[in-house]
Amino acid sequence: MGMKSETKFEKLVTFIKDLYPEYEKVPLHAPVFLGNEKQYLSECIETTYVSYVGRFVEKFELEIQNFTKANYAIATVNGTSALHIALLMAGVESNDEVLTQALTFVATTNAIKYCNAEPVFIDSEREQLGMDPVVLSDFLYKNARIGDDGFCYNISTKRRIMACVPVHIFGHPSRTTEILSICNEFNIKVVEDAAEALGSYEGANHCGLKGDIGILSFNGNKLVTTGGGGMILTNDKELAERARHITTTARVIKQFDFFHDQLGYNYRMTNLNAAVGLAQMENISKVLSNKRKTAQLYADFCRDHELNFFEEKTGYTSNYWLNTIFLKDKSERDEFLQYSNSRGVMTRPAWTLMPDLPMYRNCQQSKLDVARDLADRIVNLPSSFRSNE
Ligand SMILES: Cc1ncc(COP(=O)(O)O)c(C=O)c1O
């Protein structure tokens, strides 16, 4: 390691430790419980409403609707199940193809496979770190055509391309408006993976609501957590009703009988999880503004120390779920990961690109040089709520 980068790394690690004096080992993103979590959980236990019946699921859904301005929100057991159902609601069937990005968390791609559909990987762009609308458009113009039935088909595989899943990675909104207009041209549904993007906006629109359907995650490392949980967001009433039905085993209430009118899933969130989520939502403004301040402090520090920090661009609002820097190359990235993690500051790289995972090795893909370059250089920095703010 060169002298210069060692000094730079040392200063950054010291800066991070000063940001988070409350932690001996600074985590990447720790959950915080600032309000009524315990009280609402006790209420569940005292009333015995711990499972699918109880007041918290509906209240939590309403809270998410109010916050995101979605017409409908359906709570699920996790973000992955929300994605699975969202894809089914978008009409994805066995042997269809679904476009997504190579640089994402594995759950995005797994959900496509759960529908027995084939993922196709598109490159990322540097502005917002999401799917590149230009590469998407080139890919479709070269490889797709609209069939007599009005659907889009992949010329070489002959499979129907039914949906596209852009992802707002680390909470930074992707260029959904452009992606949407290309997909509309090719009659492809857009399912937004906004798992990491609660509190992120493109213009005035909350992420997850530009496309046909979107999803959120409330996993323990997200800025609002329910332990495990997810949410389907949509403005379409009919779609929302179908999603609610299919996530509750497709049960039709007929007095005493158990009757299920189609293949359903046991994907509904429990009252216990929703109780935590509701309490968390009561403090969301506080959490978001705390995280924005942290991002600003990182931005200022990085500017003064020749470090390349990702900042939101005009027209986009990021929740700065995970603050992100770009190092020079993979070897500098690995040196910093080693340096910081061995000194009690948890940092991590971006995900392995999807086609580099064994189960997705043979999937069709666009050129992926930007995604590959980003994956080699990205480091996520500790981004938890700071209690000393
Ligand atoms: C981009 C992305 N998609 C999907 C998921 C899946 O969410 P969950 O872990 O709640 O199933 C996550 C996170 O965990 C994610 O980061």
Side-chain angles (χ1 to χ4, degrees):
M1 193 190 316
M3 229 354 244
K4 199 166 164 233
S5 58
E6 183 160 8
T7 328
K8 194 163 70 178
F9 292 171
E10 193 183 331
K11 285 191 175 153
L12 179 54
V13 163
T14 307
F15 174 77
I16 296 171
K17 285 187 168 175
D18 289 346
L19 276 181
Y20 292 100
E22 65 270 45
Y23 293 107
E24 200 178 315
K25 239 183 139 203
V26 184
L28 193 71
H29 204 287
V32 281
F33 305 101
L34 304 169
N36 291 321
E37 284 87 350
K38 270 190 184 166
Q39 187 193 318
Y40 294 167
L41 279 172
S42 297
E43 184 183 320
C44 293
I45 291 164
E46 277 156 22
T47 59
T48 74
Y49 289 137
V50 293
S51 198
Y52 302 108
V53 180
R55 72 183 188 106
F56 289 116
V57 179
E58 202 177 317
K59 283 201 85 136
F60 181 47
E61 288 176 338
L62 279 176
E63 208 50 53
I64 292 289
Q65 274 173 231
N66 289 338
F67 182 79
T68 59
K69 307 274 184 288
N71 286 349
Y72 304 94
I74 298 106
T76 58
V77 285
N78 53 43
T80 311
S81 58
L83 261 176
H84 181 189
I85 298 300
L87 287 163
L88 294 178
M89 294 300 101
V92 174
E93 293 177 357
S94 277
N95 210 32
D96 279 343
E97 288 181 359
V98 176
L99 307 166
T100 190
Q101 54 203 62
L103 186 60
T104 184
F105 180 54
V106 71
T108 317
T109 317
N110 287 347
I112 296 169
K113 269 288 187 189
Y114 298 164
C115 303
N116 294 314
E118 288 300 316
V120 174
F121 299 115
I122 304 294
D123 205 5
S124 302
E125 49 80 31
R126 294 173 196 282
E127 239 351 64
Q128 292 300 123
L129 308 183
M131 182 183 289
D132 189 331
V134 178
V135 177
L136 174 68
S137 164
D138 286 352
F139 181 88
L140 287 170
Y141 274 105
K142 271 197 205 109
N143 297 289
R145 63 166 180 85
I146 302 287
D148 295 339
D149 57 3
F151 287 114
C152 178
Y153 286 87
N154 187 320
I155 294 166
S156 58
T157 63
K158 311 272 190 288
R159 284 193 284 247
R160 184 172 69 159
I161 305 176
M162 193 59 203
C164 174
V165 189
V167 188
H168 309 287
I169 73 167
F170 313 138
H172 307 312
S174 62
R175 286 159 57 181
T176 323
T177 304
E178 291 157 87
I179 292 168
L180 196 61
S181 94
I182 298 154
C183 287
N184 283 343
E185 215 179 300
F186 283 87
N187 195 18
I188 294 171
K189 299 271 187 222
V190 173
V191 175
E192 283 179 64
D193 183 346
E196 306 173 354
L198 182 64
S200 299
Y201 298 81
E202 184 180 356
N205 295 298
H206 192 282
C207 286
L209 284 161
K210 274 243 158 199
D212 299 276
I213 189 161
I215 70 99
L216 300 169
S217 163
F218 306 108
N219 182 20
N221 64 1
K222 300 298 186 290
L223 59 89
V224 161
T225 187
T226 57
M231 193 74 76
I232 299 169
L233 302 177
T234 183
N235 288 325
D236 182 324
K237 182 165 188 259
E238 192 262 334
L239 200 150
E241 280 168 2
R242 283 195 295 129
R244 201 175 289 280
H245 185 57
I246 203 174
T247 50
T248 43
T249 64
R251 183 169 183 193
V252 182
I253 304 292
K254 283 188 173 180
Q255 215 182 9
F256 303 118
D257 298 334
F258 277 93
F259 190 79
H260 308 264
D261 62 359
Q262 67 180 109
L263 176 65
Y265 299 84
N266 182 14
Y267 277 177
R268 280 292 271 169
M269 181 180 278
T270 70
N271 206 41
L272 277 175
N273 295 103
V276 176
L278 181 67
Q280 293 260 298
M281 282 305 288
E282 289 166 357
N283 283 301
I284 189 164
S285 317
K286 197 169 166 184
V287 171
L288 283 170
S289 72
N290 183 291
K291 284 174 68 67
R292 272 194 95 70
K293 276 188 199 143
T294 308
Q296 194 53 57
L297 293 171
Y298 271 129
D300 294 345
F301 177 88
C302 290
R303 204 170 304 119
D304 295 345
H305 293 83
E306 293 174 23
L307 281 161
N308 189 354
F309 178 76
F310 181 87
E311 283 187 80
E312 70 192 8
K313 310 295 182 302
T314 312
Y316 298 92
T317 307
S318 174
N319 64 8
Y320 286 103
W321 172 55
L322 288 185
N323 290 291
T324 304
I325 53 170
F326 308 97
L327 291 175
K328 204 171 66 218
D329 51 28
K330 195 163 191 244
S331 114
E332 195 185 50
R333 178 200 78 174
D334 290 345
E335 277 173 27
F336 180 65
L337 290 172
Q338 183 60 35
Y339 185 92
S340 48
N341 283 287
S342 65
R343 283 162 181 79
V345 169
M346 189 181 165
T347 59
R348 72 171 198 199
W351 311 278
T352 301
L353 293 192
M354 291 301 112
D356 293 344
L357 301 178
M359 59 285 194
Y360 299 125
R361 194 172 288 145
N362 298 321
C363 296
Q364 196 177 5
Q365 51 191 264
S366 72
K367 66 137 190 113
L368 295 177
D369 26 314
V370 175
R372 223 163 262 295
D373 179 61
L374 292 174
D376 281 351
R377 294 168 51 224
I378 280 173
V379 173
N380 290 135
L381 302 174
S383 303
S384 314
F385 180 87
R386 288 180 306 119
S387 52
N388 64 337
E389 172 56 47

